[in-house]
Amino acid sequence: MKPHPLKTAGILTATAITLGLALTACGGSSEASTTSCTPQHSGIQTVAPGKLTVGVIDIPPFSSYNSGQPNGIDIAIINKIAKDECLEPAYQQATYADAVQSISGGNIDLAVGTIDATEKRLKAVDFSASTYLDGMGIASKTGATTVTDLEKMNKVGTVDGYLWVEDLKKILGDKLATYPSSVELKADFDAGRLDADIDAYGVQVLQFKGAAGVNVALSNDKPDPRVGAIAHAPEAAFPMTKGNTSLREALDAGISAQRADGTITKLLTDAGLSEGLGKVAAKQYVVPAS
């Protein structure tokens, strides 16, 4: 799913996911003085020399700060790139509300957490190559799979800031309630106050894993032309310092390599997600400004 102003999601309770993600990288503080490392790209400019400073937004299974032990799909991708470039990853907690500002302000090099490439964001930051699609999920006990199904319900909810929110408001009107994060949204759905929970598909697959009677559908499988984020699925990428060509080239090369060798597809499927999320366009789709 947040145009997609950054999702103002609060911190999700870090759900344990065992993706087998290594958290150390070549050039880490404990090895810097003893380990020789030759980067694949020379002269990479970062906020702190020798380090790759990354803001981590809590949106499992893609990324979780996890009390200072970050994990998730995005973390695995970044760790591999950092290792190949002899950079020490330095992670800090971030939110959708402050990530772009932190990058443009020179406090971090990039951010992770299913952040879509949009024209609005490109005014402040650059984006790496796309990592995977950001699909809209519909969780319900009735097997809803389309927006048309949602129109028949009394009350549905979603997280404020997603790209689909404004379109859904036009279609659903007062039937749509918005929440600051997935935590509050799911709580109301679980309590029976909502007929459907509309959130990032990847988030829902993890949230509702094993939940009896709850069906999670990827709405992008049945595109609705009234909702731009369904008709054209946004592509997640890493927002980074604008104009930093050296860093962008390294990120693009690392992401492309991990797409080509199947690493990203395996990360998605290991997390219980559809491998179809890894089928990004040959040319990055940038969500147009509304």
Side-chain angles (χ1 to χ4, degrees), residues 172-190:
L172 301 174
D174 292 340
K175 291 183 178 182
L176 181 70
T178 58
Y179 296 80
S181 80
S182 298
V183 175
E184 292 89 347
L185 169 62
K186 185 175 183 296
D188 268 9
F189 175 76
D190 289 344

Side-chain angles (χ1 to χ4, degrees):
M1 144 189 265
K2 292 100 129 265
H4 201 71
L6 289 168
K7 305 173 192 130
T8 55
I11 300 172
L12 291 176
T13 301
T15 304
I17 53 175
T18 55
L19 298 175
L21 311 178
L23 295 177
T24 56
C26 180
S29 58
S30 62
E31 302 176 26
S33 60
T34 59
T35 302
S36 176
C37 184
T38 303
Q40 295 189 2
H41 295 79
S42 60
I44 298 175
Q45 300 298 309
T46 57
V47 170
K51 295 185 177 182
L52 187 62
T53 307
V54 182
V56 181
I57 296 169
D58 282 297
I59 182 167
F62 301 103
S63 62
S64 174
Y65 187 65
N66 194 31
S67 301
Q69 296 295 319
N71 59 20
I73 294 169
D74 287 0
I75 301 299
I77 295 171
I78 287 297
N79 280 338
K80 178 62 167 62
I81 294 172
K83 180 178 181 180
D84 290 344
E85 301 300 347
C86 306
L87 295 171
E88 177 188 354
Y91 293 108
Q92 57 184 258
Q93 205 153 34
T95 68
Y96 285 106
D98 64 24
V100 167
Q101 184 176 352
S102 294
I103 295 169
S104 60
N107 298 313
I108 59 177
D109 294 303
L110 59 100
V112 300
T114 318
I115 305 172
D116 303 331
T118 70
E119 285 185 353
K120 182 177 181 179
R121 291 177 183 158
L122 280 170
K123 294 178 181 179
V125 297
D126 284 339
F127 273 93
S128 70
S130 298
T131 49
Y132 45 78
L133 301 180
D134 186 10
M136 183 185 109
I138 300 174
S140 71
K141 295 182 179 180
T142 61
T145 60
T146 67
V147 175
T148 299
D149 293 332
L150 298 177
E151 291 180 272
K152 301 173 185 176
M153 297 178 171
N154 293 319
K155 200 73 174 179
V156 301
T158 192
V159 178
D160 192 26
Y162 276 111
L163 283 169
W164 54 71
V165 173
E166 292 307 314
D167 286 338
L168 288 182
K169 283 181 179 179
K170 294 175 184 177
I171 298 168
L172 301 174
D174 292 340
K175 291 183 178 182
L176 181 70
T178 58
Y179 296 80
S181 80
S182 298
V183 175
E184 292 89 347
L185 169 62
K186 185 175 183 296
D188 268 9
F189 175 76
D190 289 344
R193 290 186 284 269
L194 297 173
D195 299 315
D197 173 317
I198 306 167
D199 206 336
Y201 164 75
V203 171
Q204 292 180 321
V205 169
L206 183 63
Q207 281 185 323
F208 294 102
K209 184 177 181 181
V214 177
N215 176 72
V216 175
L218 178 60
S219 64
N220 303 83
D221 286 341
K222 297 179 180 179
D224 189 313
R226 296 175 295 173
V227 183
I230 298 178
H232 301 285
E235 296 184 8
F238 302 136
M240 49 158 290
T241 310
K242 198 164 188 65
N244 190 341
T245 304
S246 63
L247 178 57
R248 181 172 182 172
E249 288 178 350
L251 291 173
D252 287 358
I255 292 168
S256 296
Q258 291 185 58
R259 284 208 309 252
D261 67 12
T263 295
I264 292 178
T265 296
K266 188 173 188 305
L267 288 169
L268 291 168
T269 56
D270 282 355
L273 307 177
S274 168
E275 65 178 39
L277 290 184
K279 297 177 181 178
V280 299
K283 181 180 179 181
Q284 186 175 59
Y285 172 65
V286 176
V287 178
S290 58

